[in-house]
């Protein structure tokens, strides 16, 4: 019995010793295949990873790309960050609104009205915290306080119209007129509150300043007023100089007439 067991053990050991190189070769090939598959998966993930688009707003410090846990931001957050930066930086003007209980049908009607009556303006409901992150470390950082609660912005896709030009014909936007039209549309809306506005590359307006700003005359009217102010003293001086010879002639004539009567 013991001899049979020992013979069986010897046979098993012999088989394992003959199969060991083959098993080691299979394990090595499986390990290489797994490493290659992992590398391909990593490369595919890196290619599929969305890259943040070029940002328009100038910043004193580069925006964060990772969370506090050293993990990259979710693709949706990266997309929203780039979209907010693009719309805010490229638009000739931006009006910040706070909305309360604005239903889907209300938003649809408001979007139609803005498009038809405000030079194609668009409405975008935004995430306040994300928009604050977009404005951080830019020249518009003081506008962060406007983004509190349910917030939306009104913006334009077209560039600003040239000085004295009328927007609309070539896709350009008359920003002053556009802001005025938006304020007129929003004023009767009880669910909307104007928080402020941005004009051009640096001008930030609170609601009162925005209302006064849109009442300013156009650039052509301002130029005409400046020219009138400059020409007014000159015309007064010319008129005064013209009156002096006339007075002198009158005085001399009166004196000559008086001397003739005396003779």
């Amino acid at each position: 019995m013991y001899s049979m067991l020992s013979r069986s053990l010897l046979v098993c050991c012999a088989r394992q010793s003959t199969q060991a190189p083959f098993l080691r070769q299979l394990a090595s090939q499986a390990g290489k295949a797994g490493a290659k598959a992992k590398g391909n998966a990593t490369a595919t993930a890196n290619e599929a990873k969305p890259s943040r688009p070029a940002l328009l707003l100038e910043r004193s410090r580069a925006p964060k790309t990772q969370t506090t846990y050293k993990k990259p931001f979710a693709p949706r957050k990266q997309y929203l960050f780039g979209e907010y930066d693009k719309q805010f930086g490229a638009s000739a003007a931006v009006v910040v609104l706070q909305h309360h209980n604005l239903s889907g049908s209300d938003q649809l009607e408001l979007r139609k009205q803005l498009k038809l009556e405000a030079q194609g303006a668009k409405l975008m409901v935004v995430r306040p915290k994300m928009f604050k992150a977009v404005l951080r470390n830019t020249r518009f950082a003081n506008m962060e306080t406007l983004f509190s609660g349910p917030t939306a912005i009104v913006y334009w896709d077209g560039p600003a119209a040239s000085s004295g030009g009328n927007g609309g014909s070539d896709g350009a936007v008359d920003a002053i007129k556009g802001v005025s039209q938006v304020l007129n549309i929003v004023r009767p809306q009880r669910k909307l509150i104007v928080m402020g506005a941005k004009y051009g590359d640096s001008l930030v307006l609170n609601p009162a300043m925005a209302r006064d700003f849109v009442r300013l005359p156009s650039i052509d009217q301002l130029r005409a007023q400046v020219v009138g102010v400059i020409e007014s003293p000159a015309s007064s001086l010319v008129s005064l100089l013209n009156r002096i010879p006339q007075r002198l002639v009158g005085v001399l004539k009166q004196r000559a007439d008086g001397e003739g009567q005396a003779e």
Side-chain angles (χ1 to χ4, degrees):
M1 181 177 180
Y2 289 107
S3 61
M4 293 178 63
L5 289 175
S6 60
R7 190 179 299 112
S8 300
L9 288 173
L10 289 173
V11 172
C12 290
C13 291
R15 288 179 179 177
Q16 289 181 359
S17 61
T18 56
Q19 294 177 357
F22 177 70
L23 294 176
R24 284 197 297 268
Q25 185 178 3
L26 287 179
S28 177
Q29 291 178 357
K32 291 179 180 179
K36 185 177 180 180
K38 184 177 180 181
N40 293 336
T42 304
T44 304
N46 291 333
E47 292 176 0
K49 184 179 179 181
S51 58
R52 175 176 289 177
L55 302 179
L56 296 180
L57 294 176
E58 295 182 0
R59 290 172 170 80
S60 59
R61 186 182 303 173
K64 293 182 178 180
T65 58
Q66 294 181 336
T67 65
T68 54
Y69 301 102
K70 305 300 181 182
K71 293 183 178 180
F73 288 112
R76 175 174 173 77
K77 289 186 177 181
Q78 295 185 32
Y79 170 79
L80 287 177
F81 190 97
E83 191 71 10
Y84 292 168
D85 178 272
K86 180 181 72 174
Q87 303 303 349
F88 190 88
S91 181
V94 176
V95 181
V96 183
L97 305 175
Q98 192 175 85
H99 63 92
H100 299 278
N101 300 323
L102 199 64
S103 64
S105 58
D106 293 337
Q107 292 186 31
L108 183 61
E109 184 64 28
L110 181 59
R111 285 188 168 94
K112 289 182 180 178
Q113 193 174 3
L114 290 171
K115 183 178 181 180
L116 295 175
E117 302 177 14
Q119 304 182 64
K122 296 184 177 181
L123 178 73
M124 177 188 289
V125 178
V126 300
R127 298 172 62 176
K129 290 184 65 176
M130 179 66 71
F131 220 104
K132 288 181 180 180
V134 171
L135 299 177
R136 194 169 298 136
N137 299 320
T138 68
R139 64 170 66 95
F140 301 104
N142 57 344
M143 292 186 67
E144 290 185 33
T145 56
L146 304 181
F147 292 85
S148 177
T151 310
I153 63 170
V154 178
Y155 66 96
W156 289 264
D157 284 336
S162 59
S163 300
N166 294 323
S169 58
D170 57 351
V173 177
D174 184 348
I176 299 178
K177 184 178 179 181
V179 173
S180 176
Q181 292 168 337
V182 171
L183 295 180
N184 291 334
I185 293 172
V186 172
R187 187 177 295 114
Q189 302 282 346
R190 295 184 179 181
K191 298 180 180 180
L192 297 172
I193 301 174
V194 178
M195 302 298 293
K198 162 262 201 187
Y199 173 75
D201 294 332
S202 59
L203 187 58
V204 178
L205 308 170
N206 59 30
M209 292 171 63
R211 287 190 293 268
D212 294 337
F213 179 72
V214 297
R215 295 193 187 103
L216 291 175
S218 65
I219 188 67
D220 292 336
Q221 293 175 339
L222 289 174
R223 288 171 179 167
Q225 292 177 6
V226 171
V227 171
V229 170
I230 294 174
E231 289 182 347
S232 180
S235 60
S236 299
L237 179 61
V238 171
S239 177
L240 179 61
L241 293 175
N242 289 333
R243 286 200 300 267
I244 290 175
Q246 293 175 359
R247 289 181 179 179
L248 180 59
V249 170
V251 170
L252 293 176
K253 185 177 180 180
Q254 289 178 1
R255 186 172 182 179
D257 292 342
E259 291 179 353
Q261 292 176 1
E263 292 178 355

